[in-house]
Amino acid sequence: MEEEITAIKKSYGMVGEKSSPWSRLPLEIASWIVSYLPYKNHATFRATCKSWSSVIAFHVQHQSPLLLLFYEDQYYPFNPINNTYEMPIQKPPTTKILYSNFGWLLMGTLLDYDPSIFFFNIFTNERLDLPNFPLDMLISKFSFSSSPTSSDCFVVGVRILGKAARIVLIKLGEKDWTIVEMSVGIRKNFLMSECNPIFHNGQCFCLDLYGRLAIFDPKGPEGTLRIYGKPFSRKLKVRQQAFMVQSDEELLSATISEEGQICIYKLHFSKMNWINMTNLDYKILYLSYFGSWIETTKFKGMGNKIYFPKFQADDMVFYSLDTKKYHTCGDKFWSENLYSLSESMYSTWIKPMF
């Protein structure tokens, strides 16, 4: 990191100066300093003056996602870059996370005695309630199309089991959920992957373990779910995990074999098949069961990595596409497989947005 900071200072003509005012400090360095502040102090930092407020704005735009770690009925934000814990957040109304995106959590137990479902912002403690979820609706995965502060936000729940599909959806402001059930015209059963559906160009994409996609338009006519795509590979092992993320106008996927081998793919939209990728260049993937993320870094050596809620002792583990190995920060540990690692199953990535 020191080499990157020196390079940034050179670009600003600051090398050799004994001291400089805070206002001349490059935003990249100031943001890195702010990353060590607890999030409860960000509001105070931002209110100090205009220059400090601009640092927070830059930091929020460029900072990495946090991992919400669930432990003893409490969530702890974890910074994967610094390998540090934040103070536990105020206990949310329920501990059941359904999906995470746009700085918000979609939460709810979805049980008969508590059919409530709602958005919750862990950074502001805001809660936005949705109409009670329909009873007896077994749903596998949830997603929402945009920030719940937007009037055009859709919430979707999807369950595709074999050749039968069930979709439950609602637009913010509506009083009732729409329930759509249909049969899927495919020869081989659709096996939903671990990842949540993704909204892309107004349509909802669901990934199965083989690499096929179920696509539907929440604004379109009911019953218009289509299956596309070919398997990731003919040598595909069924016992694997599959995740999907949106990167600008692209859809990327990552598969993880039982032993820990990772493959990255990019969707070819005109042919609707997956193209193998050898590296991510300056991109970083953050994968989890209830929300995944991708970001681009400016720093050489920080990209081409994949972070998960996996740990070796107390240290988070990432996978390097350069070395084809799993590492901890500082390289105290490395391995070619997953066998010695633990996993936090009920954790999710979240991107702070103030």
Side-chain angles (χ1 to χ4, degrees):
M1 178 63 73
E2 291 182 3
E3 294 179 357
E4 283 81 3
I5 293 176
T6 301
I8 295 172
K9 292 177 70 175
K10 284 183 179 179
S11 67
Y12 282 81
M14 295 179 61
V15 175
E17 294 186 8
K18 293 183 179 180
S19 63
S20 298
W22 173 269
S23 59
R24 286 206 61 199
L25 193 65
L27 285 174
E28 292 92 339
I29 296 178
S31 176
W32 178 66
I33 295 172
V34 168
S35 69
Y36 285 89
L37 280 177
Y39 279 91
K40 63 181 181 180
N41 293 341
H42 282 197
T44 303
F45 187 95
R46 180 173 55 186
T48 303
C49 63
K50 289 184 178 180
S51 64
W52 287 30
S53 178
S54 65
V55 171
I56 289 290
F58 179 89
H59 177 67
V60 169
Q61 182 181 357
H62 294 87
Q63 75 175 114
S64 302
L66 297 172
L67 182 67
L68 285 183
L69 283 170
F70 183 64
Y71 178 70
E72 293 186 347
D73 232 22
Q74 189 72 59
Y75 279 102
Y76 292 79
F78 182 85
N79 188 321
I81 305 301
N82 299 330
N83 203 51
T84 56
Y85 290 88
E86 297 279 344
M87 293 295 291
I89 64 172
Q90 180 177 332
K91 187 175 180 179
T94 179
T95 58
K96 177 66 174 177
I97 294 176
L98 305 175
Y99 184 53
S100 168
N101 205 353
F102 306 104
W104 289 80
L105 301 175
L106 181 65
M107 309 188 79
T109 60
L110 306 186
L111 299 175
D112 290 351
Y113 65 84
D114 183 15
S116 63
I117 181 171
F118 54 90
F119 290 102
F120 186 69
N121 190 315
I122 66 168
F123 305 104
T124 63
N125 290 328
E126 290 180 84
R127 171 172 170 160
L128 300 175
D129 287 283
L130 294 167
N132 283 349
F133 197 74
L135 298 178
D136 302 322
M137 286 288 107
L138 296 177
I139 294 298
S140 299
K141 289 293 181 177
F142 285 84
S143 184
F144 49 93
S145 60
S146 57
S147 169
T149 57
S150 167
S151 60
D152 201 36
C153 177
F154 276 90
V155 180
V156 172
V158 180
R159 178 181 174 86
I160 305 176
L161 184 61
K163 299 179 181 180
R166 173 183 291 162
I167 300 172
V168 183
L169 61 110
I170 192 170
K171 183 180 180 182
L172 259 63
E174 294 179 344
K175 296 181 179 180
D176 299 301
W177 292 81
T178 298
I179 302 171
V180 181
E181 295 187 343
M182 68 193 83
S183 60
V184 182
I186 53 176
R187 295 181 180 179
K188 198 169 186 178
N189 288 343
F190 192 95
L191 302 175
M192 288 192 69
S193 69
E194 287 79 7
C195 72
N196 296 76
I198 286 180
F199 279 89
H200 180 74
N201 291 335
Q203 298 190 93
C204 190
F205 288 69
C206 303
L207 180 70
D208 92 333
L209 291 175
Y210 292 98
R212 293 173 300 175
L213 291 165
I215 306 174
F216 68 92
D217 185 349
K219 298 181 182 179
E222 295 183 4
T224 56
L225 184 143
R226 298 158 292 163
I227 305 294
Y228 290 100
K230 299 178 181 179
F232 291 118
S233 169
R234 293 181 179 179
K235 300 179 181 179
L236 181 68
K237 296 181 180 180
V238 177
R239 297 192 67 180
Q240 70 167 11
Q241 297 173 310
F243 298 90
M244 182 169 57
V245 296
Q246 183 173 355
S247 176
D248 298 324
E249 293 301 314
E250 298 179 334
L251 288 182
L252 305 183
S253 62
T255 61
I256 309 172
S257 71
E258 191 175 16
E259 298 80 13
Q261 181 181 2
I262 295 182
C263 295
I264 307 295
Y265 303 90
K266 178 174 68 174
L267 184 64
H268 192 301
F269 279 98
S270 61
K271 297 182 179 179
M272 291 305 293
N273 62 356
W274 295 100
I275 303 171
N276 189 272
M277 298 176 64
T278 57
N279 65 77
L280 292 169
D281 294 324
Y282 282 82
K283 288 184 171 61
I284 306 173
L285 275 177
Y286 300 88
L287 305 178
S288 69
Y289 294 115
F290 302 105
S292 298
W293 200 272
I294 188 168
E295 70 170 5
T296 302
T297 178
K298 294 182 179 180
F299 300 122
K300 184 178 180 181
M302 291 186 65
N304 217 24
K305 293 181 175 64
I306 304 172
Y307 285 87
F308 326 82
K310 298 181 185 294
F311 290 81
Q312 205 287 321
D314 294 328
D315 295 318
M316 174 170 281
V317 171
F318 64 87
Y319 183 82
S320 169
L321 288 166
D322 292 322
T323 65
K324 308 297 182 185
K325 294 181 177 66
Y326 293 86
H327 301 262
T328 57
C329 290
D331 266 349
K332 292 185 291 184
F333 165 88
W334 65 267
S335 174
E336 295 181 348
N337 57 59
L338 294 170
Y339 296 139
S340 62
L341 306 181
S342 61
E343 182 174 20
S344 179
M345 299 288 292
Y346 301 103
S347 302
T348 186
W349 296 102
I350 188 167
K351 179 94 169 181
M353 295 183 179
F354 299 94

